């Protein structure tokens, strides 16, 4: 084999070459529908966990275009492959256009020639051109991406607990009626599987939930239908207040929470705030079903600030919140810093508690040899190169983006001597403007189809 990728004349004529890469002759081309069989063959040999069902579900994704695949071809075959998924991510008061990198791989016989690097470089250009401000990925090769300017951002966050242990602590206790008049009881809560016609209730609950989230993806109706069809989960439970029958008026207002599970893993839990006992009922039902399936332990994936983690810990469970879990890390690359900061404007105003009196706030950053000013006015937020004044933070480039995305606790990092501030005002400003956040990427959108 030579190290040159041969792109057939016909291919070259029909589609643009996205990148002539690191080593001479490497050409990255966008995929077409005609590449699907070769791409599927490639994925099954490089990613053994991939399946034909999952490949079909990629094609069924309403946002999918064959050109979302970037390829390096060797004759008829795909030698290296990467796929992009365009999404909108909620970030507190802001909604950010992002792009997720997935299935980046090279056939073993072509590794070490710069193929994956060339694909990633082409992907970053395409994501930027498509309007994404951030690239996101989850990888078992963080060192590879770190060397290409990606930074770790976002942590795994889940609790585990023995099923019997949890049921012993969480099972609702029946109270004996005393005969005395007590406070009015809330309507009974029923837990059962979701019925497809009730999808609108799930969409409504999720929409309310993502308004407060950092890292959750916005899902439109078409996306929800796709998620339901692809079945990255085994079952979705719903909690219904009052009668468990389907509401004929189509509002499904009695559905006050849902939980999506895959085997022993609860992958999504969304609750309407008005019934605090919903979480207990959904989790005990999930746990009882796990016992029926001979599972001994369950895992509950939720954002780091979710109160269920503390409750499970108090019941004898364990909590994992770390950057690296089983070798896997979440990483980001800021593709368009100016647009990212502009896009975060509503969030900055919310953090400053900005009222009508608010005029202006700025903070300087010394990042390596560069100096930057984060400038916030009632009309917009900007990040511009410029000489810092007396109040500034000195940090690395990675730390700057981690701070901006709420991954890094500034106060802790200064205390630990990992970064420095010029004065007390700089520390207080940085803590107000760039607080640590419960940034968390929910698993349901990316679990392989079953
Ligand atoms: C990780 C993986 C994608 C790398 O693919 P690759 O095509 O070998 O990657 P590259 O050739 O671009 O880079 C690999 C190394 O070879 C080096 N390299 C790049 N061009 C080269 C060239 N022309 N000649 C020799 N070496 C070269 C790179 O410097 C790189 O080393 P570095 O990371 O220390 O810089 C590949 O090993 C793989 O498919 N693994 C299995 C799937 C996987 O784990 N994917 C990542 C999860 S998202």
């Amino acid at each position: 084999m030579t190290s040159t990728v041969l792109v057939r004349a016909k291919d070259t004529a029909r589609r643009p070459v996205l990148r002539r890469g690191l080593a001479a002759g490497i050409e990255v081309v966008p995929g077409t529908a005609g590449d699907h069989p070769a791409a599927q063959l490639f994925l099954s040999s490089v990613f053994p966990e991939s399946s034909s069902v999952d490949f079909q579900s990629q094609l069924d994704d309403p946002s999918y275009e064959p050109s979302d695949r970037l390829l390096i071809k060797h004759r008829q075959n795909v030698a290296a492959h990467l796929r992009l998924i365009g999404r909108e991510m909620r970030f507190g008061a802001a909604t950010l256009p992002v792009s997720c990198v997935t299935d980046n791989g090279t056939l073993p016989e072509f590794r070490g020639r710069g193929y994956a690097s060339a694909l990633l470089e082409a992907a970053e250009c395409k994501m930027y051109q498509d309007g994404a401000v951030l690239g996101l990925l989850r990888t078992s090769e963080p060192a590879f991406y770190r060397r290409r300017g990606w930074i770790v951002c976002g942590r795994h966050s889940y609790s585990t607990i023995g099923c019997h242990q949890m049921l012993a602590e969480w099972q609702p206790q029946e109270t004996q009626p005393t005969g005395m008049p007590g406070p009015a009881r809330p309507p009974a809560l029923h837990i059962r599987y979701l019925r497809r016609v009730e999808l609108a209730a799930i969409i409504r609950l999720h929409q309310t939930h993502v308004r407060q989230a950092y890292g959750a993806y916005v899902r439109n109706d078409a996306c929800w239908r796709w998620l339901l069809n692809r079945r990255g989960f085994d079952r979705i439970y719903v909690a219904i207040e009052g009668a468990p029958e389907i509401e004929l008026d189509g509002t499904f207002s009695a559905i006050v929470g849902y939980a999506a599970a895959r085997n022993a893993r609860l992958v999504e839990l969304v609750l309407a705030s008005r019934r605090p006992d919903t979480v207990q009922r959904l989790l005990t039902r999930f746990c009882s079903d796990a016992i029926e399936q001979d599972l001994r332990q369950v895992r509950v994936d939720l954002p780091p600030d979710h109160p269920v983690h503390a409750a499970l810990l108090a019941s004898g469970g364990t909590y994992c919140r770390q950057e690296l879990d089983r070798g896997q890390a979440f990483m980001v690359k800021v593709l368009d810093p100016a647009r990212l900061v502009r896009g975060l404007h509503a969030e900055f105003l919310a953090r400053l508690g900005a009222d009508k009196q608010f005029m202006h706030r700025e903070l300087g950053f010394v990042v390596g040899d560069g100096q930057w000013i984060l400038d916030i006015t009632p009309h917009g937020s900007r990040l511009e190169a410029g000489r810092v004044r007396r109040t500034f933070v000195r940090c690395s480039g990675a730390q700057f983006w981690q701070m901006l995305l709420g991954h890094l606790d500034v106060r802790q990092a200064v205390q630990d001597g990992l970064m420095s501030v010029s004065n007390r005002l700089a520390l207080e400003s940085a803590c107000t403007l760039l607080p640590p956040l419960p940034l968390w990427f929910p698993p349901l959108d990316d679990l392989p189809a079953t």
Side-chain angles (χ1 to χ4, degrees), residues 163-211:
C163 296
H164 290 287
Q165 194 177 5
M166 185 187 154
L167 283 185
E169 299 264 344
W170 284 52
Q171 197 84 271
Q173 304 294 318
E174 281 300 318
T175 48
Q176 293 293 322
T178 59
M180 299 288 288
R185 285 189 175 208
L189 210 51
H190 296 273
I191 309 293
R192 65 159 164 74
Y193 291 144
L194 172 77
R195 294 178 185 161
R196 209 162 247 273
V197 291
E198 296 166 331
L199 177 61
I202 305 298
I203 296 177
R204 168 176 48 80
L205 286 168
H206 184 260
Q207 271 169 355
T208 310
H209 156 78
V210 294
R211 268 185 228 137

Side-chain angles (χ1 to χ4, degrees), residues 22-23 26 46-47 80 102-107 110-118 138-141 143-145 147-148:
L22 307 169
I26 298 179
V46 174
F47 300 99
T102 186
D103 298 338
N104 186 12
T106 302
L107 285 178
F110 294 107
R111 287 184 189 160
R113 299 178 185 190
Y115 286 12
S117 308
R138 177 192 170 114
T139 182
S140 52
E141 300 283 344
F144 173 85
Y145 290 99
R147 286 193 285 272
R148 285 151 188 86

Side-chain angles (χ1 to χ4, degrees), residues 360-379:
H360 179 222
R361 177 75 78 97
E362 75 166 46
L363 180 60
F365 293 88
V366 177
V367 183
D369 295 335
Q371 299 199 4
W372 299 89
I373 311 285
L374 176 61
D375 189 43
I376 298 155
T377 72
H379 312 293

Side-chain angles (χ1 to χ4, degrees), residues 15-302:
R15 48 184 148 179
V17 173
L18 294 173
R19 207 91 194 141
R20 283 205 168 79
L22 307 169
I26 298 179
E27 290 185 337
V28 177
V29 293
T32 66
D35 292 317
H36 284 158
Q40 187 176 358
L41 196 64
F42 170 90
L43 290 172
S44 60
S45 58
V46 174
F47 300 99
E49 68 283 6
S50 75
S51 67
S52 55
V53 175
D54 193 56
F55 188 80
Q56 186 56 49
S57 98
Q58 295 173 13
L59 307 189
D60 293 341
D61 181 340
S63 70
Y64 176 76
E65 295 291 339
S67 58
D68 293 341
R69 283 177 209 282
L70 305 186
L71 307 173
I72 294 174
K73 295 185 76 181
H74 192 270
R75 302 185 197 283
Q76 314 286 359
N77 301 325
V78 171
H81 170 285
L82 178 153
R83 185 164 62 92
L84 296 175
I85 309 169
R87 287 179 172 148
E88 287 196 318
M89 184 182 86
R90 280 301 292 188
F91 197 81
T95 302
L96 302 173
V98 300
S99 187
C100 302
V101 173
T102 186
D103 298 338
N104 186 12
T106 302
L107 285 178
E109 60 268 38
F110 294 107
R111 287 184 189 160
R113 299 178 185 190
Y115 286 12
S117 308
L119 281 178
L120 193 60
E121 211 180 302
E124 288 169 17
C125 289
K126 180 167 162 47
M127 291 189 274
Y128 175 82
Q129 282 161 6
D130 291 349
V133 294
L134 276 181
L136 309 178
L137 57 84
R138 177 192 170 114
T139 182
S140 52
E141 300 283 344
F144 173 85
Y145 290 99
R146 195 175 290 120
R147 286 193 285 272
R148 285 151 188 86
W150 289 67
I151 55 169
V152 170
C153 204
R155 292 179 177 83
H156 302 265
S157 168
Y158 62 85
S159 294
T160 51
I161 189 164
C163 296
H164 290 287
Q165 194 177 5
M166 185 187 154
L167 283 185
E169 299 264 344
W170 284 52
Q171 197 84 271
Q173 304 294 318
E174 281 300 318
T175 48
Q176 293 293 322
T178 59
M180 299 288 288
R185 285 189 175 208
L189 210 51
H190 296 273
I191 309 293
R192 65 159 164 74
Y193 291 144
L194 172 77
R195 294 178 185 161
R196 209 162 247 273
V197 291
E198 296 166 331
L199 177 61
I202 305 298
I203 296 177
R204 168 176 48 80
L205 286 168
H206 184 260
Q207 271 169 355
T208 310
H209 156 78
V210 294
R211 268 185 228 137
Q212 314 297 327
Y214 290 89
Y217 301 120
V218 175
R219 299 176 189 149
N220 60 23
D221 292 10
C223 175
W224 264 109
R225 278 194 295 277
W226 172 72
L227 275 176
L228 238 56
N229 284 335
R230 76 194 284 262
R231 296 193 69 84
F233 56 87
D234 298 323
R235 52 210 189 273
I236 295 186
Y237 301 102
V238 286
I240 305 167
E241 208 172 33
E245 286 79 37
I246 290 176
E247 288 170 71
L248 293 177
D249 64 359
T251 60
F252 311 115
S253 55
I255 296 184
V256 291
Y258 73 87
R262 181 176 172 119
N263 301 325
R265 193 171 165 200
L266 199 84
V267 291
E268 190 153 299
L269 176 70
V270 174
L271 310 161
S273 54
R274 67 175 191 263
R275 285 292 299 247
D277 52 335
T278 318
V279 65
Q280 177 197 26
R281 295 289 309 281
L282 280 166
L283 263 82
T284 48
R285 169 66 190 271
F286 160 62
C287 226
S288 308
D289 286 1
I291 290 171
E292 299 251 309
Q293 293 171 41
D294 273 341
L295 299 165
R296 293 184 174 187
Q297 181 162 285
V298 288
R299 164 175 162 161
V300 179
D301 288 58
L302 285 171

Side-chain angles (χ1 to χ4, degrees), residues 222-441:
C223 175
W224 264 109
R225 278 194 295 277
W226 172 72
L227 275 176
L228 238 56
N229 284 335
R230 76 194 284 262
R231 296 193 69 84
F233 56 87
D234 298 323
R235 52 210 189 273
I236 295 186
Y237 301 102
V238 286
I240 305 167
E241 208 172 33
E245 286 79 37
I246 290 176
E247 288 170 71
L248 293 177
D249 64 359
T251 60
F252 311 115
S253 55
I255 296 184
V256 291
Y258 73 87
R262 181 176 172 119
N263 301 325
R265 193 171 165 200
L266 199 84
V267 291
E268 190 153 299
L269 176 70
V270 174
L271 310 161
S273 54
R274 67 175 191 263
R275 285 292 299 247
D277 52 335
T278 318
V279 65
Q280 177 197 26
R281 295 289 309 281
L282 280 166
L283 263 82
T284 48
R285 169 66 190 271
F286 160 62
C287 226
S288 308
D289 286 1
I291 290 171
E292 299 251 309
Q293 293 171 41
D294 273 341
L295 299 165
R296 293 184 174 187
Q297 181 162 285
V298 288
R299 164 175 162 161
V300 179
D301 288 58
L302 285 171
D305 60 340
H306 203 291
V308 162
H309 293 306
L312 288 175
L313 205 55
S315 306
T318 58
Y319 176 53
C320 158
R321 187 185 180 213
Q322 50 203 28
E323 289 181 350
L324 209 60
D325 184 45
R326 291 160 227 218
Q328 296 251 335
F330 298 100
M331 302 187 85
V332 307
K333 184 150 191 179
V334 178
L335 303 164
D336 193 334
R339 274 190 63 222
L340 172 62
V341 171
R342 279 204 303 274
L344 291 176
H345 180 59
E347 179 63 15
F348 285 133
L349 288 187
R351 288 176 196 175
L352 288 169
D355 54 20
K356 292 208 174 87
Q357 312 295 317
F358 172 73
M359 298 293 286
H360 179 222
R361 177 75 78 97
E362 75 166 46
L363 180 60
F365 293 88
V366 177
V367 183
D369 295 335
Q371 299 199 4
W372 299 89
I373 311 285
L374 176 61
D375 189 43
I376 298 155
T377 72
H379 312 293
S381 299
R382 288 177 306 177
L383 182 69
E384 289 185 332
R387 279 187 70 77
V388 298
R389 292 186 234 197
R390 264 193 259 155
T391 301
F392 62 86
V393 175
R394 187 184 291 276
C395 60
S396 69
Q399 286 172 331
F400 176 75
W401 297 119
Q402 287 177 333
M403 255 190 296
L404 198 79
L405 295 169
H407 180 80
L408 188 81
D409 184 332
V410 185
R411 203 178 290 281
Q412 191 64 52
V414 170
Q415 237 172 48
D416 296 345
L418 301 174
M419 52 194 270
S420 63
V421 286
S422 63
N423 55 34
R424 198 174 165 73
L425 182 61
L427 180 61
E428 293 315 319
S429 272
C431 290
T432 306
L433 280 174
L434 309 171
L437 299 168
L439 178 68
W440 185 70
F441 305 110

